[in-house]
Amino acid sequence: MRMVLPFTKLRSALAGALLAATALVAPAEAQQAQRPIRLVLNVGLQVLDPIAGPSFVTRNFAYMVFDTLVSMDSQGRFRPQMLDNWRTSDDGLTWTFTLRDGLEFSDGAPVTAEDCVASLRRWGQRDSLGRRLMAATQEMRVVDAKTFVLQLSRPFGLVLEALGKPSVQVPFIMPARIAANTPPTTPVTEVVGSGPFLFLRDQWIPGERTVFVRNPRYRPRDEPADGLAGGKVPRAERVEFINMGDPGLRAAAIQAGEVDYLEYAPIDYIRNFQRNRNLVLSRARGGAEIAGGLSINHRQPPFDNVQVRRAVQQIMSRADIIAAEGVPPEFSQPDCQSVYVCGTFYASETGTEPMRTTSIERARELLRQSGYNGERVVFLQPGDSALINPIGLVMIDRLRQAGFNLDVQTSDWSSHASRWIQHRPLDQGGWSLIPVIYTGFDLGNPLTNPGIGYNCTGNQPWGYCNEAMTPVIERFEREANAERRREIAGELQRMSIEQANFPISGQFASAAVWRAELRGVIDFGFPVMWNLERAAR
């Protein structure tokens, strides 16, 4: 016999069931929204200091916990970030900067003008653009707790570009007690920033996992987030950086929802990702694109010989190297020869003739002319980098075909990076060549380009010094007119290619990929974790 409930009892029963279901669903939705957002980086994090450590993974870490005086927006414009405003004198030699109200470090101390000056001085000893700004600076002086003055001794047309430099090394602000007492090549031992997140050191597993929580002291700007500028609102309670060396494991993890964001989508899986409605691929281009290159140790034989370096430049078959990456055609520009990356302001074809056609036969001839006699060449191959490893494998094969006596040493990127910055002979752990990648943010300005901006500085791995390039760089940095700077940049490109300072291996977009339920993603070209939250299911 079927029991029929009176209408009032039936309505009461349905209401109770609905309330019970809601009681179960609401906590589930809240739990979903509050799950940590997990970002898989290209390599594991080992170095926590963005001034001492010139790598993307350290830069990504630093944007979580530190902040900058000036930031670049999505249109490439430089806007106040920690600053409230700046003023310049009529002759452009005096810059007065004022901090905005309410800025605090994670230890509770207020951010002051003294902290800014100390941080800029430390950065200015390390970064190429920073060194040049400091060389043009007569003094930096503190006016009061919120105001400092940058007094130039001569014209310098890129003050805001320097302070708003978006990629390595970025002029992040630290407490003066740390910045003033730590050499720029020595990693800081205490992480105290004024950025949107806090680093949980006790949960850090170097090279494997890095954990952050929302910084309750952070006061975002009262304006929409735009690129690296605007209101950096930390919406996620907890963010984790994770290292997964295997590309297949990364692809499986994001498709299953075990992680939320991949800094670089494994290229072999891009087509699958495009068909997956639960995933979104980044579309950032121009400065966000990547160019591979070969870092050459100019300090020791055989690469102190320009003919040997030109031989290396001739093995750079951009089409072969990009093909090894497996990049879909719409994500690559193998015909681009500009050292600044095509699609950026200074990109041009000036002086690119030696790179337009490359051949192993020409490399062999240059080696013969150089007098190379089979000297050992130590090639550091980052085997754990899904992006760099394929580039290196093609280079290794072509270098051997050209006649180089290679000693290939394969290890993880972090280990090689620590060797890369050392100036040691080969028999004491030194190196000759290492494949690397840079974005257009790094390559797109002569003063930050690794084949131009570090000329004769002696403070970076390459060690090149072309005295004829120095006055041209100085002319570029003095020039206030953007179009005239573009002409000078072309001249610098010609000189860099002629000396084979930093041979490039082709331009491509290595798209990021994230779960579609993430809201507020800023598609800038590298991971931006503020403004980001997970939508409740």
Side-chain angles (χ1 to χ4, degrees):
M1 177 183 297
R2 188 176 60 178
M3 181 179 294
V4 179
L5 290 174
F7 176 74
T8 54
K9 291 186 177 181
L10 177 60
R11 183 173 61 183
S12 178
L14 289 173
L18 181 60
L19 286 172
T22 303
L24 291 173
V25 170
E29 289 183 345
Q31 186 177 12
Q32 161 70 9
Q34 293 174 11
R35 279 195 303 121
I37 292 178
R38 294 187 171 95
L39 165 68
V40 179
L41 295 174
N42 187 44
V43 295
L45 176 69
Q46 299 279 1
V47 179
L48 304 178
D49 184 349
I51 307 304
S55 66
F56 290 168
V57 63
T58 301
R59 173 207 64 194
N60 294 341
F61 166 82
Y63 270 111
M64 298 290 284
V65 297
F66 299 106
D67 210 350
T68 57
L69 298 174
V70 177
S71 289
M72 177 188 283
D73 69 14
S74 60
Q75 303 302 310
R77 298 168 299 198
F78 294 96
R79 291 164 45 180
Q81 187 60 39
M82 296 175 71
L83 293 174
D84 180 65
N85 61 73
W86 58 72
R87 304 187 308 277
T88 58
S89 60
D90 291 340
D91 61 7
L93 295 179
T94 305
W95 290 72
T96 303
F97 299 101
T98 303
L99 290 167
R100 57 190 176 95
D101 293 333
L103 299 179
E104 292 183 66
F105 287 114
S106 56
D107 62 359
V111 178
T112 68
E114 182 184 2
D115 301 312
C116 300
V117 168
S119 296
L120 293 178
R121 283 176 176 155
R122 181 171 185 258
W123 163 76
Q125 297 175 62
R126 179 71 166 155
D127 178 69
S128 64
L129 187 48
R131 285 171 66 98
R132 297 189 184 283
L133 174 59
M134 291 301 109
T137 297
Q138 177 178 314
E139 67 168 338
M140 283 191 291
R141 64 179 182 273
V142 173
V143 176
D144 56 41
K146 290 177 54 182
T147 310
F148 69 97
V149 169
L150 173 70
Q151 182 69 52
L152 297 174
S153 58
R154 54 180 169 80
F156 188 86
L158 297 101
V159 171
L160 296 181
E161 286 85 345
L163 299 185
K165 185 174 186 278
S167 198
V168 293
Q169 278 103 0
V170 178
F172 291 108
I173 301 304
M174 303 177 182
R177 63 181 178 82
I178 296 175
N181 294 296
T182 310
T185 55
T186 301
V188 297
T189 57
E190 186 181 1
V191 177
V192 179
S194 62
F197 291 92
L198 300 176
F199 166 56
L200 302 186
R201 183 182 283 272
D202 61 340
Q203 297 186 36
W204 179 42
I205 305 174
E208 294 186 27
R209 183 184 299 270
T210 312
V211 180
F212 308 87
V213 294
R214 186 201 309 250
N215 180 3
R217 298 182 185 276
Y218 187 71
R219 179 178 293 185
R221 296 187 69 87
D222 186 19
E223 56 197 53
D226 182 5
L228 300 176
K232 299 181 178 180
V233 179
R235 302 190 188 281
E237 291 289 346
R238 181 181 172 100
V239 176
E240 297 178 0
F241 287 2
I242 297 171
N243 184 28
M244 291 182 178
D246 181 77
L249 183 60
R250 297 182 188 186
I254 195 163
Q255 290 179 98
E258 295 172 2
V259 299
D260 304 289
Y261 196 135
L262 304 185
E263 180 183 18
Y264 297 122
I267 292 169
D268 290 345
Y269 295 87
I270 284 179
R271 292 298 188 213
N272 287 338
F273 291 167
Q274 288 175 322
R275 293 189 290 266
N276 190 332
R277 66 181 183 180
N278 294 317
L279 301 177
V280 179
L281 283 162
S282 69
R283 298 179 179 274
R285 294 291 185 269
E289 290 190 80
I290 286 172
L294 194 53
S295 180
I296 298 176
N297 190 340
H298 293 238
R299 290 186 174 89
Q300 55 189 338
F303 296 108
D304 54 348
N305 184 327
V306 67
Q307 293 288 74
V308 179
R309 298 197 301 273
R310 288 172 179 164
V312 170
Q313 194 162 256
Q314 282 295 307
I315 68 98
M316 292 293 194
S317 170
R318 292 178 299 281
D320 288 351
I321 290 170
I322 289 176
E325 287 279 7
V327 178
E330 67 268 31
F331 286 84
S332 66
Q333 298 193 57
D335 295 330
C336 180
Q337 295 111 28
S338 176
V339 302
Y340 301 121
V341 173
C342 292
T344 60
F345 179 76
Y346 294 110
S348 74
E349 295 185 357
T350 303
T352 60
E353 291 82 1
M355 297 170 59
R356 292 176 188 173
T357 57
T358 58
S359 76
I360 290 176
E361 291 73 20
R362 177 61 178 155
R364 289 176 182 145
E365 176 60 21
L366 287 167
L367 274 189
R368 186 189 66 77
Q369 294 174 10
S370 74
Y372 176 71
N373 195 32
E375 291 90 348
R376 182 169 72 110
V377 171
V378 174
F379 190 103
L380 302 184
Q381 170 69 342
D384 67 331
S385 173
L387 285 180
I388 302 177
N389 186 56
I391 294 174
L393 291 176
V394 176
M395 291 177 179
I396 289 166
D397 178 62
R398 292 179 66 83
L399 285 164
R400 282 176 169 156
Q401 289 185 56
F404 283 95
N405 174 24
L406 288 192
D407 175 6
V408 178
Q409 300 181 16
T410 302
S411 185
D412 60 277
W413 166 254
S414 295
S415 298
H416 282 334
S418 63
R419 290 178 63 181
W420 183 36
I421 62 176
Q422 302 298 320
H423 305 163
R424 296 174 180 167
L426 296 187
D427 59 359
Q428 297 178 28
W431 62 280
S432 306
L433 303 171
I434 180 170
V436 292
I437 57 172
Y438 286 95
T439 68
F441 297 124
D442 306 284
L443 298 166
N445 184 304
L447 301 188
T448 63
N449 187 286
I452 298 171
Y454 296 95
N455 186 60
C456 299
T457 62
N459 75 326
Q460 288 287 348
W462 302 273
Y464 59 89
C465 185
N466 177 8
E467 293 184 1
M469 186 183 279
T470 299
V472 185
I473 293 174
E474 291 173 350
R475 184 155 49 94
F476 176 87
E477 67 183 31
R478 287 194 302 268
E479 182 56 63
N481 182 278
E483 288 302 321
R484 286 197 288 269
R485 280 206 306 267
R486 196 200 296 259
E487 294 176 8
I488 301 169
E491 186 178 348
L492 289 168
Q493 175 172 267
R494 178 187 59 76
M495 300 175 81
S496 179
I497 293 172
E498 187 177 77
Q499 290 295 310
N501 284 348
F502 177 65
I504 62 172
S505 63
Q507 179 175 334
F508 59 96
S510 183
V513 60
W514 55 85
R515 298 285 301 178
E517 67 256 27
L518 294 187
R519 298 287 182 265
V521 177
I522 297 172
D523 188 3
F524 185 74
F526 54 80
V528 175
M529 305 308 290
W530 55 85
N531 203 50
L532 187 59
E533 61 187 336
R534 180 183 286 103
R537 289 177 180 171

